[in-house]
Amino acid sequence: MTTTPSGVQAAPRATAAARATDLTKVYGEGETQVVALDGVSVEFRQAEYTAIMGPSGSGKSTLMHCMAGLDTVSGGSARIGDVELTSLKDKKLTQLRRDKIGFIFQAFNLLPTLNALENITLPMDIAGRKPDQAWLDQVVDTVGLSGRLKHRPAQLSGGQQQRVAVARALAGKPEIIFADEPTGNLDSRSGAEVLGFLRNSVRELGQTVVMVTHDPVAASYADRVVFLADGRIVDELHDPTAEAVLDRMKRFDAKGRTS
Ligand SMILES: Nc1ncnc2c1ncn2[C@@H]1O[C@H](COP(=O)(O)OP(=O)(O)OP(=O)(O)O)[C@@H](O)[C@H]1O
Ligand SMILES: [Mg+2]
């Protein structure tokens, strides 16, 4: 049987872990205006692993940032569970981000003065929460950082820094994890371990993961793939295989060139 810490997976629930409704995001004004998100509606169900794919500049990072309350939206709605992010004042938003959301950034965003372990537990330290030691050990072990916990980011390779960022997002058992190309800087073995770990946290802990990736193999770890182009959702694939994802990407490519 599956484990059910805090009963998250006790029964299938209709409530989405996160939901965007007609979400728009416009950067800049006039000549330099960019419509990064153009009416995106998408639901991320609890205990589901979703991959977001699309060409560079299609709005993937913007979507993640808006859904995680890291950026304001221009229109529409972004919800985490039942909470409408646009309705929250700064303090409440910060609290919600801290308690419910894990974010793995495209750039790792580690604090240079803290060592790996301190970086991993920082969000919990700020929140005044004690880490679950067994879980923390498991996370650290899985991302292969046991021998590097006392090292500062500058003393770690790019891949190791990325693994610290992954561990930091997972350590507090957030309800939803947004990961922006979490394996972009990893060799294929470390990448596979991180992807497997994310998938296990979905299967066994009922966590919800939304992950941006350019890699069809990484996307094949997910339960579904959502494709973005020019700030819009253009397609969706369930139970993806790497081949099916690649095939779909090729078709978009061909369309892009002929239109
Ligand atoms: N802070 C910003 N100010 C102005 N324009 C921005 C800003 N952030 C993103 N954009 C623009 O919004 C669009 C979407 O950017 P976004 O970073 O979401 O793309 P992406 O799909 O994540 O691309 P990549 O795969 O290269 O990371 C791009 O055209 C980008 O230039
Ligand atoms: Mg991006």
Side-chain angles (χ1 to χ4, degrees):
M1 271 312 288
T2 47
T3 48
T4 59
S6 65
V8 275
Q9 223 185 13
R13 285 181 48 180
T15 321
R19 186 198 300 265
T21 311
D22 213 13
L23 193 62
T24 62
K25 177 66 185 180
V26 181
Y27 287 112
E29 281 171 17
E31 297 256 299
T32 59
Q33 183 171 307
V34 174
V35 181
L37 296 177
D38 189 8
V40 169
S41 296
V42 65
E43 186 178 291
F44 303 111
R45 287 205 312 250
Q46 274 185 3
E48 188 177 48
Y49 190 173
T50 305
I52 310 268
M53 300 191 84
S56 178
S58 59
K60 303 179 300 294
S61 293
T62 305
L63 177 62
M64 307 279 276
H65 292 164
C66 289
M67 291 310 296
L70 293 167
D71 205 345
T72 57
V73 312
S74 307
S77 114
R79 280 167 184 267
I80 295 292
D82 298 332
V83 182
E84 172 60 55
L85 296 187
T86 53
S87 74
L88 295 182
K89 298 231 163 56
D90 272 1
K91 203 174 155 195
K92 288 267 181 227
L93 188 59
T94 305
Q95 235 168 40
L96 177 122
R97 274 207 309 262
R98 211 174 55 193
D99 296 341
K100 304 215 162 156
I101 297 172
F103 204 102
I104 304 168
F105 291 91
Q106 195 164 6
F108 328 123
N109 282 14
L110 301 178
L111 284 191
T113 55
L114 301 183
N115 69 31
L117 180 62
E118 290 162 344
N119 264 290
I120 291 168
T121 57
L122 180 67
M124 283 177 285
D125 291 339
I126 293 173
R129 274 163 58 202
K130 264 212 159 17
D132 171 344
Q133 194 59 47
W135 172 246
L136 190 60
D137 291 346
Q138 194 190 332
V139 168
V140 165
D141 198 44
T142 306
V143 296
L145 283 168
S146 305
R148 290 290 182 276
L149 290 177
K150 294 276 170 62
H151 289 61
R152 285 195 297 278
Q155 301 167 316
L156 298 170
S157 71
Q160 287 167 340
Q161 290 179 55
Q162 181 65 309
R163 284 184 267 159
V164 173
V166 169
R168 178 180 58 187
L170 287 163
K173 294 187 189 171
E175 285 178 23
I176 184 161
I177 291 174
F178 294 101
D180 199 347
E181 300 194 46
T183 57
N185 296 289
L186 300 181
D187 60 58
S188 57
R189 184 163 162 265
S190 314
E193 277 176 13
V194 166
L195 291 164
F197 191 67
L198 287 174
R199 189 168 59 187
N200 279 350
S201 70
V202 169
R203 298 277 180 279
E204 286 163 27
L205 293 165
Q207 273 183 344
T208 309
V209 176
V210 185
M211 169 185 79
V212 171
T213 183
H214 286 282
D215 175 6
V217 174
S220 71
Y221 281 75
D223 297 314
R224 66 165 180 162
V225 185
V226 171
F227 294 91
L228 271 182
D230 294 329
R232 293 176 189 197
I233 289 177
V234 290
D235 208 351
E236 198 174 314
L237 205 59
H238 289 264
D239 301 319
T241 60
E243 291 73 31
V245 172
L246 196 59
D247 191 50
R248 204 62 68 101
M249 286 164 77
K250 279 189 200 145
R251 259 195 277 159
F252 289 138
D253 227 29
K255 256 194 256 168
R257 268 191 235 114
T258 50
S259 63

